[in-house]
Amino acid sequence: AEWGVYLITANIKVMNLAWGLISPWLAEQENWRTDQMLKDQQVKKCFLVKFVVYYYPFFYLAFIRDFVEGCEGQECIHELRVNLTVFILTHIVTVIAQILVQVGMTFWNEFSLRKKMDALSSARNYTYVQAQALRPPYAGDMDDYMELFVSLGFVTMFSTVYPFIAFLALASNMIELRVLAFRMCRVLRRPMPRGQEGIGAWMQIMQVVTYLSCVTTVAIVVFALRPLKEMHSAQKTLYFVVGEHLMLAMAFLFARSLPNPSVADELVLERNQEATEEILRGDCVVMHARSGSRACLKGCQHLSPASPLDTSSL
């Protein structure tokens, strides 16, 4: 039983890594007409399998194990809480470890180049664009979105039985937010800007998770927690049907009550877009190979990303 807690988390991580490599390849073989359609299919295929991999062990503990193996008192609920805690904490450590590996690889590449430059001359600097070329490329936003939606599912579906998971998810997201920001700014290569309307297939996935959480929350209260768990099957079924219908109706009404963007909102978005373009247009810095600091050196004031470099002096 002690090892089972960690084996569940290990199984989730291994299957997550394996399917993360397989699903993009399957979507590419289908030859979709546009990049957006390809990306949406990659997201759907990846999330469908990962949903089962991530949540099935916890659904089993909450709803199935009591009928298959039997549970004494609240044994299944207690084990469910322990597994949720271990998974969330392991998830935080795993994300930080992955970022540290990428930081180490980037540091080693820049350190190796610095030694080569020191061997040639004592006063050699390389530009910001050249520094970017040494860094690993950004793999896309699918993994980042996946982590957020997995956390959303755990909070919305299992916070009834384990309210502390909301605090764990908040702490995890706060740490992950800062770590991912550091990775994007100081570790990964600057990604190529690509336009996209909305968040694509993730909006549909969010709706599915939201409505599914309404059903799951009521099911846990009725079938897994006392005192309703001790009632007759007919009574529990009645409470479940009425409760999940009320929850679904409330979620539907809340979704429909949100107003459409006003003219003022559209103007704010346009102004933000103009400011973003102006900020990116002025990116003309270089980076010192020795210290890793960024500065605008003499003669490089007009350097901008993707501009041709004069490498005759290197």
Side-chain angles (χ1 to χ4, degrees), residues 106 109-110 113 125-136 186-190 285-289 292-294 303 309:
T106 301
N109 290 335
E110 295 186 354
L113 180 61
N125 295 314
Y126 63 104
T127 66
Y128 173 65
V129 176
Q130 291 170 318
Q132 289 289 309
L134 293 175
R135 298 180 175 182
R186 301 298 300 273
V187 179
L188 297 180
R189 186 184 308 165
R190 187 169 171 175
V285 298
V286 296
M287 181 173 288
H288 292 278
S293 61
R294 297 171 60 186
L303 177 66
L309 298 176

Side-chain angles (χ1 to χ4, degrees), residues 24-298:
W25 178 82
L26 291 176
E28 290 177 359
Q29 302 306 309
E30 295 173 346
N31 193 25
W32 294 96
R33 295 182 60 186
T34 64
D35 290 340
Q36 185 61 49
M37 295 174 65
L38 171 63
K39 183 178 179 180
D40 288 345
Q41 291 302 317
Q42 289 177 339
V43 168
K44 291 177 181 179
K45 285 180 172 59
C46 190
F47 184 82
L48 181 62
V49 174
K50 289 188 177 184
F51 180 88
V52 178
V53 171
Y54 273 97
Y55 297 123
Y56 171 74
F58 304 100
F59 278 118
Y60 178 81
L61 290 174
F63 302 113
I64 304 176
R65 181 179 172 181
D66 192 18
F67 298 96
V68 177
E69 304 177 21
C71 296
E72 296 182 3
Q74 295 293 313
E75 178 185 359
C76 292
I77 298 300
H78 174 70
E79 189 169 344
L80 175 61
R81 293 168 179 164
V82 173
N83 278 272
L84 288 170
T85 305
V86 171
F87 174 79
I88 295 296
L89 295 178
T90 305
H91 172 72
I92 298 174
V93 174
T94 303
V95 171
I96 296 177
Q98 291 175 348
I99 302 301
L100 291 178
V101 170
Q102 292 179 330
V103 171
M105 294 175 59
T106 301
F107 171 79
W108 176 254
N109 290 335
E110 295 186 354
F111 176 77
S112 301
L113 180 61
R114 186 188 68 185
K115 294 197 67 175
K116 293 180 181 179
M117 296 173 70
D118 288 343
L120 296 175
S121 173
S122 59
R124 291 268 182 169
N125 295 314
Y126 63 104
T127 66
Y128 173 65
V129 176
Q130 291 170 318
Q132 289 289 309
L134 293 175
R135 298 180 175 182
Y138 179 53
D141 60 1
M142 186 170 70
D143 290 338
D144 298 336
Y145 271 110
M146 186 68 66
E147 301 296 340
L148 293 175
F149 277 83
V150 167
S151 299
L152 173 67
F154 277 112
V155 171
T156 55
M157 289 189 290
F158 296 105
S159 59
T160 303
V161 67
Y162 190 38
F164 189 64
I165 194 176
F167 173 78
L168 291 177
L170 175 62
S172 172
N173 287 337
M174 292 179 65
I175 296 174
E176 189 173 348
L177 178 65
R178 302 308 305 171
V179 172
L180 292 179
F182 178 82
R183 184 193 67 173
M184 292 296 297
C185 296
R186 301 298 300 273
V187 179
L188 297 180
R189 186 184 308 165
R190 187 169 171 175
M192 182 67 67
R194 300 180 63 181
Q196 176 176 309
E197 300 226 355
I199 60 176
W202 291 111
M203 180 58 70
Q204 301 174 6
I205 293 175
M206 182 185 296
Q207 295 173 349
V208 171
V209 172
T210 300
Y211 289 119
L212 182 61
S213 65
C214 296
V215 179
T216 304
T217 300
V218 177
I220 289 178
V221 172
V222 174
F223 297 110
L225 296 178
R226 295 177 177 175
L228 296 182
K229 178 183 177 181
E230 308 296 336
M231 293 185 175
H232 192 269
S233 299
Q235 289 180 304
K236 291 192 292 184
T237 303
L238 177 61
Y239 288 147
F240 170 72
V241 172
V242 174
E244 58 92 12
H245 273 69
L246 289 176
M247 292 288 289
L248 290 174
M250 291 175 60
F252 179 81
L253 292 176
F254 281 140
R256 294 298 181 269
S257 63
L258 296 176
N260 295 325
S262 63
V263 177
D265 296 332
E266 298 292 343
L267 292 175
V268 170
L269 293 176
E270 291 180 4
R271 180 53 187 159
N272 288 340
Q273 181 65 27
E274 293 174 359
T276 302
E277 294 175 356
E278 184 175 353
I279 292 172
L280 296 178
R281 193 181 302 118
D283 195 354
C284 60
V285 298
V286 296
M287 181 173 288
H288 292 278
R290 181 179 297 279
S291 64
S293 61
R294 297 171 60 186
C296 190
L297 300 181
K298 183 178 181 180

